[in-house]
Amino acid sequence: MNIKNTNIIVLVIGGLLLTYGLLGPVIKNNLSTNPINHAPSVLAPLDPSLKDNCQKVTEILKSGSSDRSVDGVKLSGLFSDLARLIELDGENEVIKNTDEIREANKIAGAFYNLDLKGKYPDLTQAATYVVVQHIGDDNVALDPELRKKAVEAFNGLAWAFYEGSK
């Protein structure tokens, strides 16, 4: 992949995250005025190994800062959004390989400006471990099976962070 394509992908991801950052609060505020309870749509992973690795993330979050309820919900939303971004394929495909997954994760973390430094020791490593264990550490193109596994890993992390917020 050349630098031009990478820059385009980074700009697209940044634009999507910027749009979400600007419109997300408006949408969430409109939903919260509805009397129906809007529980997050995060489900526990079905894969036992993925679930075990995700539970380590939950434990770290629960043993960290007193801000975990707010931080956990934000992180859950972030990882759920990343899962949806990875899931896009066909004409809507944004993420094409595992390096782009890592790049999107870095950009999203910086964009959300969560200021988590020092709050949850080993959280980054535990979350990274979940992804690496599920999709590997090599830069490879996403075929349908690997794309599905990546989505499962990020949805698993969304679940782990939501559980940690409780």
Side-chain angles (χ1 to χ4, degrees), residues 13-42:
I13 292 169
L16 289 170
L17 291 171
L18 180 62
T19 301
Y20 176 76
L22 294 173
L23 297 179
V26 172
I27 293 168
K28 287 178 184 175
N29 284 341
N30 287 338
L31 289 176
S32 66
T33 60
N34 189 336
I36 299 171
N37 185 11
H38 294 281
S41 60
V42 291

Side-chain angles (χ1 to χ4, degrees), residues 93-110:
E93 182 179 71
V94 176
I95 305 290
K96 295 176 179 66
N97 60 52
T98 54
D99 257 2
E100 292 175 3
I101 289 174
R102 286 183 270 286
E103 190 63 31
N105 193 15
K106 284 180 200 170
I107 291 170

Side-chain angles (χ1 to χ4, degrees), residues 45-53:
L46 298 176
D47 179 325
S49 148
L50 176 60
K51 186 174 181 180
D52 286 346
N53 289 332

Side-chain angles (χ1 to χ4, degrees), residues 37-148:
N37 185 11
H38 294 281
S41 60
V42 291
L43 301 173
L46 298 176
D47 179 325
S49 148
L50 176 60
K51 186 174 181 180
D52 286 346
N53 289 332
C54 286
Q55 285 176 324
K56 292 173 187 164
V57 170
T58 299
E59 292 166 11
I60 291 170
L61 191 67
K62 283 188 172 187
S63 67
S65 170
S66 60
D67 296 335
R68 72 181 170 89
S69 59
V70 174
D71 293 339
V73 170
K74 286 180 181 178
L75 285 164
S76 178
L78 169 64
F79 280 87
S80 181
D81 290 343
L82 284 169
R84 277 182 271 167
L85 185 66
I86 295 165
E87 195 170 31
L88 296 174
D89 62 1
E91 292 179 18
N92 298 319
E93 182 179 71
V94 176
I95 305 290
K96 295 176 179 66
N97 60 52
T98 54
D99 257 2
E100 292 175 3
I101 289 174
R102 286 183 270 286
E103 190 63 31
N105 193 15
K106 284 180 200 170
I107 291 170
F111 179 76
Y112 268 64
N113 194 23
L114 295 172
D115 192 28
L116 302 176
K117 196 168 200 135
K119 283 185 175 181
Y120 309 98
D122 301 323
L123 185 62
T124 301
Q125 295 86 340
T128 300
Y129 182 80
V130 168
V131 175
V132 169
Q133 288 301 304
H134 213 62
I135 67 169
D137 200 17
D138 297 328
N139 180 25
V140 294
L142 294 177
D143 61 20
E145 180 61 28
L146 189 56
R147 184 176 302 280
K148 179 181 172 210

